[in-house]
Amino acid sequence: MQGVVSIRTETPVSTGSSMFGNDGSVVVPVVIEVEKEGQRSEESLNLPLDTKLVQMMKEGFGSHACKALRGLEEALLKGLDQPNREVRQASADVLPLVQEAVPFRVAGDIPIPERVEQKVEKIAKKVFERSGKRVVVTSAARTPQRQADAMRIKLDLGESPRRLYANKRAAGEIENAYSWAKKSGLPVEQVTETMAMVIQRQMDSGIFISRHLKEGAVDFRSRDLSAREKRVVRIAAAEEGAKVALESTPPHFHIEVF
């Protein structure tokens, strides 16, 4: 699909409501934001919730299919809690097909650039095929604010960024900002903001403390992986040309895909 900006999938509904008529089927409302000639508009679709839907979305959304199917999974999880029996049953029938088609989950509202998502999909597919485990993405592209928050958590847990990041000078500047803010008694939000200001200044001068800031890295949750599953992740990522590091504070795989 050309010009797609975003795809939003909403909770399934029964067409038995007056809004859709009275044929008793279940549909998934999908809102597509598109941009044409500099103008943005929304297109609404009501897709039938049946076992053909996954293949329909794969074919219809092209390179955006993975993102669309991730949104569908979230919608179906909500559908399982709906009072309407038909909605619950249709959601339960299609959900396993969606989870098989998209072999990874995303924790929370995490922005994943399309080229990074394509790499994640390839790595996660291999992990799923070899272990049956769906990896969980906990971080991808970061703003200075998100990067500062991630580094603040590490510092709160006692890990110095000077030991982790290659650019020791840049890491030291950020750690010094953290220490000053903490000693000044600033609340958590202002501690993060103080660090983010330093990170932004570094970026303005061409210094990027992390690949996350250049949309080139992704994190996988590791705390729920067995030793074998961790080996599978390492091998799958390496096969896709990614650089992998298992970090402990907090526990996760840091994977540089670009």
Side-chain angles (χ1 to χ4, degrees):
M1 298 182 69
Q2 298 296 318
V4 173
V5 177
S6 66
I7 301 172
R8 185 176 76 253
T9 307
E10 300 180 349
T11 306
V13 294
S14 171
T15 59
S17 68
S18 59
M19 180 177 179
F20 294 100
N22 194 30
D23 60 9
S25 62
V26 177
V27 298
V28 179
V30 177
V31 180
I32 306 170
E33 184 180 6
V34 297
E35 183 172 349
K36 297 178 180 178
E37 298 179 353
Q39 299 294 319
R40 292 193 179 187
S41 61
E42 288 189 345
E43 299 178 2
S44 298
L45 301 173
N46 292 316
L47 302 180
L49 184 55
D50 56 36
T51 55
K52 299 177 182 178
L53 179 57
V54 172
Q55 188 60 35
M56 180 193 302
M57 293 182 76
K58 282 183 177 180
E59 295 173 355
F61 288 103
S63 63
H64 300 279
C66 185
K67 190 179 297 293
L69 287 168
R70 287 200 293 108
L72 177 60
E73 179 181 7
E74 295 301 317
L76 296 184
L77 289 171
K78 294 177 181 177
L80 296 177
D81 294 328
Q82 296 303 300
N84 183 283
R85 183 180 62 83
E86 287 77 16
V87 170
R88 294 197 307 272
Q89 186 60 56
S91 298
D93 289 344
V94 179
L95 183 59
L97 302 177
V98 177
Q99 293 175 336
E100 184 177 353
V102 185
F104 67 95
R105 295 190 296 113
V106 180
D109 183 21
I110 297 171
I112 306 181
E114 187 171 320
R115 67 172 191 154
V116 174
E117 185 172 54
Q118 291 171 353
K119 276 283 191 179
V120 169
E121 185 177 8
K122 291 179 180 178
I123 295 170
K125 184 177 181 180
K126 290 184 176 182
V127 174
F128 184 74
E129 290 174 345
R130 297 169 187 178
S131 70
K133 190 76 173 183
R134 294 181 79 210
V135 297
V136 180
V137 177
T138 57
S139 184
R142 291 177 184 166
T143 62
Q145 190 78 19
R146 285 179 182 265
Q147 180 65 33
D149 195 52
M151 295 181 72
R152 178 192 57 76
I153 291 172
K154 284 183 174 294
L155 283 159
D156 285 347
L157 293 173
E159 181 171 343
S160 170
R162 289 182 173 92
R163 296 197 300 268
L164 179 63
Y165 294 98
N167 191 325
K168 307 302 181 185
R169 180 175 179 179
E173 290 178 347
I174 299 168
E175 184 171 359
N176 289 341
Y178 167 88
S179 299
W180 176 86
K182 294 286 283 189
K183 289 178 181 178
S184 299
L186 298 180
V188 171
E189 295 79 6
Q190 291 186 29
V191 173
T192 301
E193 184 59 35
T194 301
M195 298 170 67
M197 290 173 63
V198 175
I199 294 170
Q200 183 64 67
R201 176 173 55 77
Q202 291 175 350
M203 291 173 62
D204 292 342
S205 63
I207 298 172
F208 294 81
I209 190 69
S210 170
R211 287 284 183 91
H212 284 286
L213 293 167
K214 300 181 76 172
E215 299 187 351
V218 64
D219 291 346
F220 289 174
R221 180 179 294 160
S222 65
R223 68 171 184 264
D224 59 345
L225 300 179
S226 67
R228 177 182 176 277
E229 289 164 347
K230 289 176 181 177
R231 288 195 297 272
V232 171
V233 170
R234 286 185 181 277
I235 293 170
E239 288 177 351
E240 291 300 324
K243 182 179 178 182
V244 189
L246 181 59
E247 299 182 14
S248 59
T249 313
H252 68 277
F253 276 106
H254 173 76
I255 303 176
E256 296 184 357
V257 293
F258 294 107

